[in-house]
Amino acid sequence: MDTEPMTTALPTPYDHLTSPRTAAALVLQGRFLSAAREFLAGEGFTEMLAPIIGPVTDPGARGAKQVDVDYYGHRYKLMTSGILYKQASLLSFGKIFHVAPNVRLEPLETAVTHRHLVEFHQLDVEIADGSREEAMEVAERLTRHCVRQVVQTCAAELDVLGRDPGELRLAVAEPYERKRHSAVVAELVELGYPQSADTEIEWSGEELVSAKAAHPFFVIDYPKGSRGFYDRENERDPGVLRNFDLIFPGGYGEMMSGSERESDYRRLLARIRETGENPGKYEWYLTLARKGIPASAGFGLGVERFTRFLGGLDAVWQATAYPKLPGQARP
């Protein structure tokens, strides 16, 4: 796969929407989402419709800015992630999922990463009383199922895109390895990449380890402070979070992020304050936590990113009908 920075010049909406490659990519996307819904329904998950705006959204989006809207005189946010609402939804059902749009004003430099959009969608999954290991097991079986369904039903579209079905089958043929964050940092340092041990894996470093991989793998145990306040800290290993990322091979990078969630009111309050956030912003969420929300684990899978992998696309904007890259005004 070409790893040189792509041009940020997008085709006109007419050219993009009439391209056979766009149509093929969107067919793959629809089939993968159908397969995901079939799989999750069979596992006892209930699909819910997520909100698009709210008084607060996920504060942990890697350098991206939030979008404010005037909601009858109140300052509301477009969702950058539905994580807080996923936890709240477990008051109704023990296993939930949703497919929802997210908006993040990404830094301008991410326009050439192949992997960032301002407007994108996530397949979000949450399991009441679930563990990190249970969430990873569901994530592995889900992604493997979706790949197999696309290979079985979308031969014509894969041919249009020049994607070898054998490569897709091979990618998910083996169990997904688990690597600690510290081990990935050490691997990058050995490769000459200056990755900090205290932060998330940087985009370019993530692409390096992804390009070297033959199969998907999980990165686990990120350091506290590198992620949002809702990722649960490991009580037996203070300073380490019970979370994970799923990295796909071939340079496609991170497909999903997940964790066990913090649900205890006092610990949530302390974690919010540690991050410099104002707890008052999270009043509705903290009220639910005080009354009692289930402990849980879950993840969010990037729909356009996974479509990019399935189709072997050069860039994630090719996996959406109406691409919006950082800094570009688009319909």
Side-chain angles (χ1 to χ4, degrees), residues 219-230:
V219 180
I220 62 173
D221 296 343
Y222 279 75
K224 184 180 178 182
S226 66
R227 289 289 172 89
F229 61 77
Y230 40 77

Side-chain angles (χ1 to χ4, degrees), residues 31 33-43 97 145 149:
R31 184 65 195 106
L33 287 173
S34 294
R37 286 185 165 102
E38 292 163 3
F39 174 86
L40 291 167
E43 294 285 319
F97 76 95
H145 175 78
Q149 288 298 305

Side-chain angles (χ1 to χ4, degrees), residues 190-322:
E190 188 173 337
L191 290 171
Y193 187 88
Q195 173 63 49
S196 168
D198 300 320
T199 65
E200 292 184 297
I201 307 299
E202 296 174 357
W203 310 123
S204 47
E206 189 180 284
E207 192 169 21
L208 275 176
V209 293
S210 170
K212 285 171 55 64
H215 305 284
F217 65 92
F218 290 103
V219 180
I220 62 173
D221 296 343
Y222 279 75
K224 184 180 178 182
S226 66
R227 289 289 172 89
F229 61 77
Y230 40 77
D231 282 11
R232 180 180 294 167
E233 186 175 3
N234 190 333
E235 294 179 2
R236 292 178 292 182
D237 193 3
V240 174
L241 300 173
R242 294 276 297 163
N243 61 0
F244 63 90
D245 279 352
L246 177 57
I247 310 296
F248 263 56
Y252 292 97
E254 177 211 323
M255 290 292 131
M256 70 169 63
S257 290
S259 73
E260 289 180 10
R261 316 301 188 187
E262 184 55 75
S263 60
D264 179 80
Y265 170 75
R266 288 185 173 81
R267 288 199 295 266
L268 276 170
L269 197 60
R271 290 287 301 279
I272 290 172
R273 286 172 173 157
E274 284 175 4
T275 61
E277 290 274 318
N278 176 10
K281 290 168 47 179
Y282 300 90
E283 179 182 4
W284 75 269
Y285 171 73
L286 289 172
T287 297
L288 291 182
R290 188 165 52 243
K291 290 178 178 292
I293 54 177
S296 66
F299 56 83
L301 171 67
V303 171
E304 289 84 0
R305 286 187 181 184
F306 196 63
T307 305
R308 180 193 173 206
F309 165 76
L310 291 170
L313 306 176
D314 293 328
V316 72
W317 66 262
Q318 296 169 325
T320 178
Y322 305 99

Side-chain angles (χ1 to χ4, degrees), residues 14-277:
Y14 181 87
D15 289 341
H16 184 56
L17 290 169
T18 57
S19 166
R21 290 181 60 81
T22 300
L26 296 180
V27 169
L28 296 187
Q29 188 173 97
R31 184 65 195 106
F32 126 57
L33 287 173
S34 294
R37 286 185 165 102
E38 292 163 3
F39 174 86
L40 291 167
E43 294 285 319
F45 287 83
T46 298
E47 182 170 7
M48 297 183 70
L49 300 179
I52 299 172
I53 64 171
V56 70
T57 186
D58 179 0
R62 291 185 172 186
K65 294 181 180 178
Q66 301 171 1
V67 179
D68 294 336
V69 296
D70 183 350
Y71 185 71
Y72 301 103
H74 297 275
R75 187 179 182 183
Y76 270 42
K77 307 284 186 182
L78 295 182
M79 289 295 109
T80 61
S81 162
I83 172 61
L84 306 183
Y85 290 93
K86 285 201 299 180
Q87 287 183 274
S89 296
L90 295 176
L91 292 168
S92 296
F93 302 102
K95 292 181 174 182
I96 64 100
F97 76 95
H98 61 236
V99 180
N102 294 263
V103 177
R104 299 178 185 177
L105 296 182
E106 298 283 0
L108 291 177
E109 58 266 25
T110 62
V112 293
T113 64
H114 310 280
R115 301 192 290 122
H116 289 85
L117 293 169
V118 171
E119 181 182 78
F120 63 98
H121 295 75
Q122 279 192 174
L123 169 61
D124 277 298
V125 173
E126 201 73 14
I127 307 164
D129 300 317
S131 66
R132 177 180 67 181
E133 286 66 33
E134 184 177 358
M136 290 193 295
E137 190 264 342
V138 170
E140 181 170 344
R141 290 193 295 117
L142 169 67
T143 51
R144 184 176 285 122
H145 175 78
C146 290
V147 168
R148 288 171 175 167
Q149 288 298 305
V150 164
V151 168
Q152 290 173 13
T153 61
C154 298
E157 289 75 22
L158 292 171
D159 186 59
V160 167
L161 296 169
R163 184 61 154 153
D164 182 356
E167 290 183 1
L168 288 173
R169 291 192 193 95
L170 182 63
V172 296
E174 301 291 335
Y176 297 0
E177 186 181 357
R178 276 73 165 153
K179 296 183 180 182
R180 294 199 73 186
H181 175 271
S182 57
V184 177
V185 170
E187 180 180 344
L188 283 168
V189 170
E190 188 173 337
L191 290 171
Y193 187 88
Q195 173 63 49
S196 168
D198 300 320
T199 65
E200 292 184 297
I201 307 299
E202 296 174 357
W203 310 123
S204 47
E206 189 180 284
E207 192 169 21
L208 275 176
V209 293
S210 170
K212 285 171 55 64
H215 305 284
F217 65 92
F218 290 103
V219 180
I220 62 173
D221 296 343
Y222 279 75
K224 184 180 178 182
S226 66
R227 289 289 172 89
F229 61 77
Y230 40 77
D231 282 11
R232 180 180 294 167
E233 186 175 3
N234 190 333
E235 294 179 2
R236 292 178 292 182
D237 193 3
V240 174
L241 300 173
R242 294 276 297 163
N243 61 0
F244 63 90
D245 279 352
L246 177 57
I247 310 296
F248 263 56
Y252 292 97
E254 177 211 323
M255 290 292 131
M256 70 169 63
S257 290
S259 73
E260 289 180 10
R261 316 301 188 187
E262 184 55 75
S263 60
D264 179 80
Y265 170 75
R266 288 185 173 81
R267 288 199 295 266
L268 276 170
L269 197 60
R271 290 287 301 279
I272 290 172
R273 286 172 173 157
E274 284 175 4
T275 61
E277 290 274 318

